[in-house]
């Protein structure tokens, strides 16, 4: 089993920045893909960013150029650096991981999820 613990959410004004963190615990292997999803009230869950086992990253069009997904160099921590935040970025952000899968929208769909961290962007 793998547990994922997110942190770093909060409330910011439009144009601001936040960095989310995700700590994998348990039987996690560093070659798993890792991904961030988000869900806004009344909307479907959306894949935001992924980092595959080979280190390649991919982003949703809505966050391309504003968000950066990356891993810590020496441990298994995952981060999502978010800048130029917009009100439409508001939602609960989830860290996910999954063995043997890669790709935005595929990584993490059927495996491990964290509890989520809330991001609220006001105009």
């Amino acid at each position: 089993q793998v547990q994922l613990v997110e942190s770093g959410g909060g409330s910011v004004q439009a144009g601001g920045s936040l960095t989310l963190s995700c700590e994998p615990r348990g039987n996690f292997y560093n070659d798993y893909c890792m991904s961030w999803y988000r869900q806004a009230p009344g909307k479907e869950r959306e894949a935001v960013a992924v980092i595959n086992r080979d280190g390649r990253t991919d982003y949703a069009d809505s966050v391309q150029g504003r968000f950066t997904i990356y891993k810590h160099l020496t441990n298994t921590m995952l981060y999502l650096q978010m800048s130029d935040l917009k009100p439409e970025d508001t939602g609960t952000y989830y860290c996910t991981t999954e063995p043997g899968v890669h790709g935005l929208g595929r990584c993490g769909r059927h495996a491990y999820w964290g509890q989520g961290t809330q991001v609220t962007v006001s105009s």
Side-chain angles (χ1 to χ4, degrees):
Q1 281 286 8
V2 175
Q3 298 83 43
L4 300 169
V5 180
E6 303 101 334
S7 61
S11 297
V12 296
Q13 291 191 327
S17 300
L18 282 174
T19 298
L20 307 183
S21 302
C22 173
E23 178 186 4
R25 300 175 181 173
N27 295 325
F28 174 79
Y29 294 90
N30 213 24
D31 63 349
Y32 289 5
C33 70
M34 298 191 79
S35 187
W36 289 96
Y37 284 71
R38 69 184 178 189
Q39 187 164 24
K43 294 189 176 180
E44 291 189 358
R45 197 160 48 194
E46 173 189 21
V48 172
V50 65
I51 184 164
N52 296 305
R53 60 181 294 176
D54 61 3
R56 287 186 292 181
T57 59
D58 197 10
Y59 300 90
D61 289 344
S62 57
V63 306
Q64 182 76 46
R66 301 188 296 119
F67 288 14
T68 302
I69 186 172
Y70 62 99
K71 286 184 173 182
H72 194 282
L73 289 177
T74 59
N75 61 39
T76 58
M77 290 289 293
L78 178 74
Y79 301 93
L80 184 68
Q81 184 177 14
M82 306 184 294
S83 60
D84 190 22
L85 283 161
K86 303 176 180 181
E88 51 265 40
D89 294 318
T90 294
T92 302
Y93 283 69
Y94 299 92
C95 174
T96 73
T97 190
E98 189 167 0
V101 176
H102 65 276
L104 187 68
R106 291 186 290 278
C107 175
R109 282 182 65 187
H110 301 295
Y112 304 106
W113 287 69
Q115 293 297 310
T117 186
Q118 179 67 34
V119 172
T120 302
V121 184
S122 57
S123 57

